[in-house]
Amino acid sequence: MTASTGDREVAEMNALDKFSLKDKNVLVTGGAQGIGLNYAMAAAGAGASVALADLNGEKARASAAWLREEYKVETLGIEADVTDPGQVEHMCAVMAGQMGRIDVAFCNAGISINVPAEEMTYEQWRKVIDINLTGVFLTATAAGRYMIRQGGGSIINTASMSGHIVNIPQPQVAYNASKAGVIMLTRSLAVEWADKNVRVNSISPGYIMTDLIKGHELIPRWKELSPLERMGRPEELQGAALYLASDASTFTTGTDIVVDGAYTCV
């Protein structure tokens, strides 16, 4: 027996409805630009209210105002240093106080310092680890406490294909270690919070052409090493972000989605 055309249309509509974020409140760290802003755009486009947190508070507020105008949703710009536990707690308190809940948290803020390991200073190592790994831990646990009290939520951490492979030719030992740590942190939190209805997943982008790396001298080499022979576009991460943030992924937790144009396959 096959489904009628009407049945198929209803099934398709219901499946698409699961991707809606209407009545959801979404937090994005490192949200003023680049990958974080694209996550925020995906959430706003799906109907969510969005809080953008960034070390650059002025830019966070400007990006929030643009989102509000473009998508006609409630937005908030917050200045926050994700390496400071007090500021992270304040960030979540401000969002929860103004919006009422924290339903989704994209723990996205990150940096890279490309220095040969034998030349890397302790301060450089600590800076990368503090932002990329400790910052994710602080944000995830602060937002997670709200979600546990609320009865559930979704946390999405930005990892990297560099958490799976050592990509070349740039030296980035601290970055690779931090992103591998994010993947294991994600899995650990997913297991710990499975019975609390808080899902924790990560996205591992490959080389993405954000404004921060346009014109980088290694772009031709990165393209050469990629099976698709090109860089990814920030908007090409939005599908994975929307899936993990929405009710389309209610049985998905502890998962890392690699979006790298098959770079890690070769």
Side-chain angles (χ1 to χ4, degrees), residues 170-193:
Q170 68 276 19
Q172 50 181 48
V173 61
Y175 183 82
N176 296 347
S178 70
K179 294 303 186 177
V182 168
I183 293 169
M184 185 52 71
L185 172 64
T186 297
R187 294 172 178 169
S188 299
L189 291 176
V191 172
E192 283 198 34
W193 292 344

Side-chain angles (χ1 to χ4, degrees), residues 106-151:
F106 285 96
C107 307
N108 169 72
I111 64 165
S112 180
I113 298 177
N114 296 338
V115 177
E118 71 275 16
E119 299 174 13
M120 177 166 273
T121 66
Y122 176 70
E123 289 74 21
Q124 289 172 324
W125 168 270
R126 278 294 304 270
K127 185 173 183 178
V128 175
I129 298 298
D130 284 351
I131 295 173
N132 291 8
L133 181 54
T134 305
V136 170
F137 169 77
L138 292 175
T139 304
T141 51
R145 285 189 283 272
Y146 282 87
M147 294 176 184
I148 290 168
R149 290 196 294 269
Q150 294 164 183

Side-chain angles (χ1 to χ4, degrees), residues 86-103:
Q87 291 192 39
V88 172
E89 293 289 346
H90 177 72
M91 170 186 72
C92 290
V94 168
M95 179 184 175
Q98 180 160 323
M99 294 183 168
R101 293 171 56 91
I102 303 175
D103 299 295

Side-chain angles (χ1 to χ4, degrees), residues 132-254:
N132 291 8
L133 181 54
T134 305
V136 170
F137 169 77
L138 292 175
T139 304
T141 51
R145 285 189 283 272
Y146 282 87
M147 294 176 184
I148 290 168
R149 290 196 294 269
Q150 294 164 183
S154 176
I155 293 171
I156 302 105
N157 301 323
T158 298
S160 172
M161 69 175 182
S162 302
H164 297 269
I165 61 166
V166 178
N167 43 314
I168 58 172
Q170 68 276 19
Q172 50 181 48
V173 61
Y175 183 82
N176 296 347
S178 70
K179 294 303 186 177
V182 168
I183 293 169
M184 185 52 71
L185 172 64
T186 297
R187 294 172 178 169
S188 299
L189 291 176
V191 172
E192 283 198 34
W193 292 344
D195 64 347
K196 296 175 173 60
N197 197 34
V198 176
R199 297 184 295 108
V200 189
N201 296 285
S202 59
I203 298 174
S204 281
Y207 290 120
I208 304 296
M209 186 70 82
T210 63
D211 289 339
L212 291 177
I213 66 166
K214 283 181 179 176
H216 196 290
E217 62 181 5
L218 289 177
I219 287 175
R221 177 65 169 150
W222 294 336
K223 288 180 178 179
E224 177 187 343
L225 292 169
S226 173
L228 292 186
E229 298 181 344
R230 70 172 177 88
M231 305 280 285
R233 299 184 298 274
E235 62 268 23
E236 291 180 303
L237 299 171
Q238 291 181 345
L242 184 55
Y243 168 70
L244 292 175
S246 70
D247 288 343
S249 61
T250 50
F251 197 57
T252 303
T253 192

Side-chain angles (χ1 to χ4, degrees), residues 1-23:
M1 178 181 294
T2 60
S4 68
T5 301
D7 289 340
R8 290 196 300 270
E9 288 174 351
V10 170
E12 182 179 2
M13 180 187 66
N14 289 340
L16 291 175
D17 285 346
K18 292 177 183 178
F19 288 88
S20 173
L21 294 179
K22 193 171 185 274
D23 301 323

